[in-house]
């Protein structure tokens, strides 16, 4: 079983739609949680950190459920520029190495 | 300011050859990480440096892989006797320190024929 599991998609949505991604993680010792965005043939970039209290950054809302070991990302009012792969990431261990899911591909169409 | 840079951007080699991949972290970042990303997968951790020392090399797949960071800045990932299965994008990331946000470089695409 992978340490971080995500639905690979692709999720095809029209502009303006709301879309939600979920992921689960298996290591209960995971310490920090993130969503990274990766464009085709580019490096991953931090989208947002995820906290148990939930956090919002503009159209993006992230939520963490430690009891269920579940992380979510909600994107409202999708834009064409949101098309990318969204990587669910946890950090493990004293040195905070990042463990990535396989990513969920989002395609926003006009 | 300048981000993490990696050279070469692309490397094609033949099975059995030796390759070196270079990473220049963001100036002042003491922590440096190497990851490997295969097609359709997320990046996988290889090794972490804090300063000059490898604090965690648990992700290196076997003894053909080795990395150094002799002066606590630039790092080189070395792969001996390359195999076709080593083909992937090798990503380097740096952070200001332990537990800080990791910033990724553009990666080196390695193709072993």
């Amino acid at each position: 079983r992978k340490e971080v599991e995500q639905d690979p998609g692709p999720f095809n949505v029209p502009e303006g739609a709301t879309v939600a991604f979920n992921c689960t993680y298996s290591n209960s010792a995971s310490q920090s949680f993130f969503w990274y965005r990766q464009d085709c043939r580019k490096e991953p970039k931090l989208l947002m950190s995820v906290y148990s209290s939930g956090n919002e950054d503009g159209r993006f809302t992230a939520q963490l459920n430690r009891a269920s070991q579940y992380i979510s990302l909600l994107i409202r009012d999708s834009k064409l520029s949101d098309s990318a792969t969204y990587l669910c990431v946890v950090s493990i261990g004293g040195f905070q190495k990042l463990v990535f899911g396989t990513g969920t591909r989002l395609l926003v169409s006009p | 300011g300048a981000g993490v840079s990696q050279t070469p951007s692309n490397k094609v080699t033949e099975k059995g050859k030796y390759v070196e991949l270079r990473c220049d972290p963001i100036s002042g970042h003491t922590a440096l990480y190497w990851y490997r990303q295969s097609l359709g997968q997320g990046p996988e951790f290889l090794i972490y440096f804090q300063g000059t020392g490898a604090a965690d090399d648990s992700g290196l797949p076997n003894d053909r892989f080795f990395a150094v960071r002799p002066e606590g800045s630039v790092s080189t990932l070395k792969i001996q006797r390359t195999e076709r299965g080593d083909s992937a994008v090798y990503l380097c990331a740096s952070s200001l320190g332990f537990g800080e946000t990791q910033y990724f470089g553009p990666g080196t695409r390695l193709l072993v024929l």
Side-chain angles (χ1 to χ4, degrees), chain B:
Chain B
V4 178
S5 63
Q6 293 185 245
T7 55
S9 52
N10 293 280
K11 176 70 178 179
V12 180
T13 191
E14 293 179 345
K15 181 176 179 295
K17 298 290 188 183
Y18 168 82
V19 296
E20 289 189 352
L21 312 179
R22 177 187 166 109
C23 172
D24 278 90
I26 294 171
S27 178
H29 280 198
T30 61
L32 186 146
Y33 303 78
W34 283 99
Y35 295 83
R36 177 169 74 172
Q37 186 170 23
S38 300
L39 198 61
Q41 302 296 315
E44 291 179 300
F45 170 80
L46 296 177
I47 187 169
Y48 160 66
F49 286 90
Q50 181 60 47
T52 60
D56 183 349
D57 65 358
S58 61
L60 294 178
N62 51 59
D63 61 7
R64 295 186 298 105
F65 289 75
F66 188 71
V68 295
R69 194 186 185 200
E71 297 178 357
S73 178
V74 170
S75 176
T76 304
L77 179 66
K78 308 180 181 194
I79 310 174
Q80 297 178 318
R81 305 184 303 280
T82 51
E83 299 177 358
R84 293 194 180 89
D86 298 336
S87 297
V89 177
Y90 289 81
L91 293 161
C92 176
S94 71
S95 66
L96 200 55
F98 158 67
E100 300 288 334
T101 299
Q102 295 182 31
Y103 297 89
F104 284 80
T108 293
R109 296 182 179 280
L110 175 67
L111 177 61
V112 182
L113 300 175

Side-chain angles (χ1 to χ4, degrees), chain A residues 7-70:
Chain A
D7 180 345
F11 284 55
N12 290 282
V13 302
E15 267 187 296
T18 295
V19 61
F21 304 139
N22 306 311
C23 92
T24 57
Y25 61 95
S26 60
N27 191 331
S28 58
S30 300
Q31 297 167 295
S32 300
F33 308 87
F34 311 92
W35 284 100
Y36 273 72
R37 171 190 168 131
Q38 187 170 28
D39 292 288
C40 189
R41 299 181 71 83
K42 298 288 189 181
E43 71 273 22
K45 292 186 179 177
L46 178 65
L47 179 65
M48 59 199 302
S49 300
V50 190
Y51 306 109
S52 296
S53 55
N55 49 303
E56 188 174 310
D57 183 1
R59 298 180 293 109
F60 299 83
T61 300
Q63 191 77 46
L64 166 66
N65 184 322
R66 281 190 183 266
S68 302
Q69 297 183 191
Y70 172 96

